[in-house]
Amino acid sequence: MSMPNFYVAPEQFMKDKADFARKNIARGRPLVAVVYADGILICAENQSKSLHKVSEIYDRIAFAGVGRYNEFDSLRRAGVQHADVKGYQFSREDVDARSLANLYAQYMGNVFTHDMKPLEVEILVAEVGPEPGTDQLYHILYDGSVVDEDRYTILGGEADAITVRLQDGFSADWSLEEVLRRAARALTGEREPAPSEFEVAVLARADGRRAFRRLEDEEVATALAGS
């Protein structure tokens, strides 16, 4: 006995996949990246000390992801390998955030279009520039869409509410302590998680080629305790 064939309109099929990806991404904790006076800060709620949402990809370039950990970590590792090979074959200066973002967008877009299940992730590729105003933030969505931000970007659920809280009095001249307090407050609203529940990293302009640095719990606690 043959099984009946069910027809689903392409528009409905793509909408269902998009709804599936958005719903599952929103289940996790969001993440925020903000430009400040001395670089870029990336902050997320993450109680795990080994499963990082934020990592270094290459010189002055960071990666961050929300959603299914195994999926965005596979993307991170692929980006590291691509950057290493390109930097070795050509030069370190040829590795940049824009080309990595385009590579991720093409792959994620192909998965969304051709596979039954889309990737349940949103990712960020950030690069700190040599001067203020030259930093780059690329937010890549589950369907391969790329959003080029110039001040801040929010990944994951509750993006609208977080944006409202973060843009209140926003300044690209904030200090590290101020931008960390603002980012944490935007993420948590009225809640007050312990400093150890945050994962925080910066791309510091003054640190030269290796600009990526994780903030220890003590640094986060000191900043959050400030006025």
Side-chain angles (χ1 to χ4, degrees), residues 18-39:
D19 291 342
F20 170 83
R22 282 195 297 265
K23 179 180 67 176
N24 291 328
I25 291 169
R27 288 175 177 171
R29 296 291 188 187
L31 175 149
V32 61
V34 191
V35 171
Y36 70 104
D38 298 320

Side-chain angles (χ1 to χ4, degrees), residues 156-217:
E158 304 178 11
D160 291 341
I162 294 171
T163 299
V164 170
R165 292 193 289 262
L166 185 62
Q167 69 185 5
D168 182 23
F170 174 84
S171 172
D173 295 325
W174 282 339
S175 65
L176 175 57
E177 292 75 14
E178 180 67 17
V179 72
L180 177 51
R181 285 194 294 272
R182 298 276 188 152
R185 190 180 307 134
L187 282 173
T188 61
E190 299 299 322
R191 295 183 295 110
E192 295 186 1
S196 60
E197 296 181 31
F198 288 101
E199 179 183 358
V200 185
V202 295
L203 289 170
R205 207 182 322 279
D207 285 354
R209 197 180 78 186
R210 298 301 300 275
F212 183 87
R213 181 173 69 88
R214 295 189 186 280
L215 271 62
E216 301 294 336
D217 290 345

Side-chain angles (χ1 to χ4, degrees), residues 77-97:
R77 286 186 277 109
V80 171
Q81 293 170 358
H82 173 81
D84 283 343
V85 171
K86 187 174 182 180
Y88 176 77
Q89 290 180 335
F90 300 96
S91 72
R92 304 188 76 90
E93 289 73 24
D94 288 327
V95 182
D96 64 296

Side-chain angles (χ1 to χ4, degrees), residues 107-124:
Y107 175 74
M108 295 170 71
N110 284 335
V111 171
F112 183 79
T113 302
H114 300 294
D115 291 7
M116 286 293 294
K117 189 192 85 65
L119 294 173
E120 300 166 47
V121 298
E122 292 182 13
I123 63 173
L124 167 74

Side-chain angles (χ1 to χ4, degrees), residues 59-110:
D59 300 346
R60 308 175 73 84
I61 301 175
F63 172 98
V66 298
R68 290 183 66 91
Y69 176 82
N70 64 316
E71 292 184 349
F72 70 70
D73 192 59
S74 295
L75 293 172
R76 177 194 64 82
R77 286 186 277 109
V80 171
Q81 293 170 358
H82 173 81
D84 283 343
V85 171
K86 187 174 182 180
Y88 176 77
Q89 290 180 335
F90 300 96
S91 72
R92 304 188 76 90
E93 289 73 24
D94 288 327
V95 182
D96 64 296
R98 183 174 65 178
S99 62
L100 281 168
N102 288 335
L103 187 71
Y104 281 132
Q106 291 172 16
Y107 175 74
M108 295 170 71
N110 284 335

Side-chain angles (χ1 to χ4, degrees), residues 31-48:
L31 175 149
V32 61
V34 191
V35 171
Y36 70 104
D38 298 320
I40 301 171
L41 175 130
I42 307 173
C43 179
E45 283 189 79
N46 184 10
Q47 299 184 23
S48 174

